[in-house]
Amino acid sequence: MQNDHVYKQIEIVGSSTISSDDAISQAIARASSTLRNLEWFEVMQTRGHVKDGKVAYWQVAIKIGLRLDDAQ
């Protein structure tokens, strides 16, 4: 078993009306439906939309690390 890996990073933005944590979970769930070998994430930016003096929704920009398949 090989322990050395190569990773690719992508940046995506998740959104949620519930919370910033939910925005992260939504982003990861969506990414995992079309990508494989997701290994880690890093929060890059958190922002939101204010409507009538309240948070209407959260947006969280994250980097996701994908482990590239081993050469065969």
Side-chain angles (χ1 to χ4, degrees), residues 14-61:
S15 62
S16 171
T17 57
I18 298 169
S19 69
S20 58
D21 285 351
D22 188 59
I24 294 167
S25 294
Q26 294 292 333
I28 291 171
R30 179 63 179 91
S32 69
S33 71
T34 58
L35 302 169
R36 61 179 190 263
N37 301 329
L38 302 184
E39 293 283 329
W40 54 265
F41 74 93
E42 177 182 358
V43 174
M44 303 305 295
Q45 185 178 55
T46 302
R47 60 183 175 264
H49 179 71
V50 177
K51 185 173 182 179
D52 299 326
K54 296 181 181 178
V55 175
Y57 63 87
W58 297 87
Q59 291 182 330
V60 181

Side-chain angles (χ1 to χ4, degrees), residues 1 9 11 13 23 26 29 31 36 39 43 53 63:
M1 181 173 171
Q9 293 181 22
E11 291 188 34
V13 177
Q26 294 292 333
R36 61 179 190 263
E39 293 283 329
V43 174
K63 280 186 184 178

